[in-house]
Amino acid sequence: MPIEFTHVPGKVHPAGTISTVPFFYDFAETATKLSLIEDVGFRRIVVDDQAGLLTNMDLAAQVLDRTSSLEVILAHWAGVIEPTVAARQLASIGARSGGRLSLRMLSEPLNDYDAETRPVGHAVVWQRIDEYLVLLKRLWSNDRPFDHEGTFYSIKGGYVPRKGPHGAGLTIRMGGQSGTALKVAGRHADVFELAPGSIDEVRRLMERARGAAAEHGRAGKLRFALPVGIHQGVPASGHKAVDVSGPPAQAALSLLAYAGLGIDEFMIAGVDTPREIATVGRETLALLRNSLVRREADAFQPGAYAPRHAQGTHSAI
């Protein structure tokens, strides 16, 4: 499978100012950038505005309406709205999108006012996420109302009459490094968002995530995404990402080793102005994509699977 690229919006500097504003602050301007993001080869965009979950849902619907192929990764968390309400709204957005919606489950909201009473303790936070996701999936797949009485949620006659195009198959994205987070992600995540780190650190986290998924018979179903900050000498602020810099060829080379781990997706941050989007998309990402195609073609040359060549082919970066 070719590697895919996701745009992670940050803050931008309006012309003639030194202040920063969110990527989605002026949606007329954002629409122009969305078209460019789509044109230069990004497959997805993250919607995770500081205004909170309900604003994210509205922005996600607008992005989907303004684009034809761009997929939207909607940042979401438990504890803002009830599972039944969330399931109905997400199913509606998913139906409007034609299946271009995925859900990025975060452990905590950005702001205290955008959450109910917070559970106390790391393990309890993830237990609530687990129950929340179980209920969302059940609501997206059930063919009749059901009741539920759990640790965090109570539902009477829960039912979503109009399911999304993928039903309970809506792509779920999660991350985390603790044993508790990995356990929940192993049960629910289709895409595991890795923490930035060295090649060895990322490899070990991938192994741990696969092990957690294997406990639920899902090891082969888990895909991996790595956050990447691309910059020209100044690190991308506000993002926890693997930072790469320099000219396009150098930046692409820096990412080849990570791609060799079996990562399916790079989540690109620090690329927010039209010029940055165009340059990175048409140069850095294109170079990386072409390099991976050449590497895959070389790997399938006659004799590539001969025992005496197999180890060298595998370790080449």
Side-chain angles (χ1 to χ4, degrees):
M1 292 280 298
I3 202 157
E4 297 177 346
F5 300 101
T6 293
H7 186 272
V8 183
K11 294 181 178 180
V12 295
H13 295 270
T17 72
I18 59 173
S19 62
T20 59
V21 298
F23 183 86
F24 295 103
Y25 178 78
D26 181 344
F27 209 87
E29 179 182 334
T30 299
T32 300
K33 289 187 285 189
L34 287 174
S35 178
L36 184 57
I37 287 168
E38 195 170 24
D39 289 344
V40 300
F42 284 94
R43 177 71 178 272
R44 303 175 183 88
I45 186 170
V46 173
V47 174
D48 187 8
D49 193 83
Q50 289 187 341
L53 186 150
L54 297 179
T55 297
N56 282 349
M57 287 185 168
D58 181 55
L59 289 173
Q62 292 186 59
V63 171
L64 291 164
D65 286 344
R66 298 291 186 94
T67 58
S68 60
S69 62
L70 200 64
E71 298 176 17
V72 167
I73 299 171
L74 173 61
H76 195 81
W77 47 87
V80 180
I81 53 181
E82 290 297 315
T84 303
V85 176
R88 287 173 178 165
Q89 292 180 335
L90 292 168
S92 176
I93 296 172
R96 288 174 59 182
S97 76
R100 291 186 287 134
L101 180 71
S102 61
L103 201 61
R104 186 190 198 195
M105 288 301 302
L106 305 178
S107 59
E108 291 288 340
L110 293 173
N111 303 305
D112 288 338
Y113 60 77
D114 205 6
E116 299 170 347
T117 303
R118 292 174 183 265
V120 178
H122 177 79
V124 179
V125 168
W126 283 98
Q127 288 169 9
R128 181 173 71 170
I129 293 171
D130 183 37
E131 184 177 341
Y132 186 81
L133 287 174
V134 167
L135 288 172
L136 286 186
K137 291 178 178 180
R138 190 174 178 186
L139 287 160
W140 287 330
S141 60
N142 65 319
D143 56 5
R144 64 189 63 183
F146 68 89
D147 297 338
H148 168 85
E149 194 66 44
T151 304
F152 302 97
Y153 298 103
S154 177
I155 294 177
K156 300 294 184 183
Y159 183 65
V160 175
R162 296 181 180 178
K163 318 292 187 186
H166 296 310
L170 180 72
T171 298
I172 303 295
R173 304 171 63 100
M174 304 179 74
Q177 298 181 70
S178 71
T180 302
L182 287 170
K183 182 178 179 180
V184 178
R187 181 180 184 184
H188 295 289
D190 302 294
V191 177
F192 187 85
E193 295 185 3
L194 296 155
S198 67
I199 295 292
D200 287 340
E201 289 170 337
V202 171
R203 180 189 291 111
R204 286 195 293 270
L205 183 55
M206 291 173 69
E207 291 171 352
R208 292 178 64 206
R210 285 195 187 99
E215 295 181 7
H216 301 278
R218 306 181 64 251
K221 298 180 180 180
L222 196 62
R223 293 176 283 129
F224 293 95
L226 180 72
V228 174
I230 294 181
H231 56 90
Q232 300 295 322
V234 180
S237 60
H239 297 284
K240 295 180 179 180
V242 172
D243 275 319
V244 297
S245 61
Q250 180 180 333
L253 184 62
S254 299
L255 295 176
L256 269 177
Y258 285 99
L261 296 175
I263 290 169
D264 305 277
E265 173 188 344
F266 286 136
M267 302 176 68
I268 308 297
V271 181
D272 292 303
T273 68
R275 181 178 180 180
E276 291 169 340
I277 294 166
T279 300
V280 168
R282 292 170 180 160
E283 297 182 16
T284 305
L285 303 191
L287 282 168
L288 178 58
R289 190 181 288 111
N290 292 338
S291 297
L292 291 170
V293 169
R294 286 196 299 270
R295 174 183 289 180
E296 185 175 344
D298 291 342
F300 282 90
Q301 292 299 318
Y305 291 105
R308 64 190 182 92
H309 297 307
Q311 184 174 354
T313 301
H314 177 74
S315 61
I317 291 177

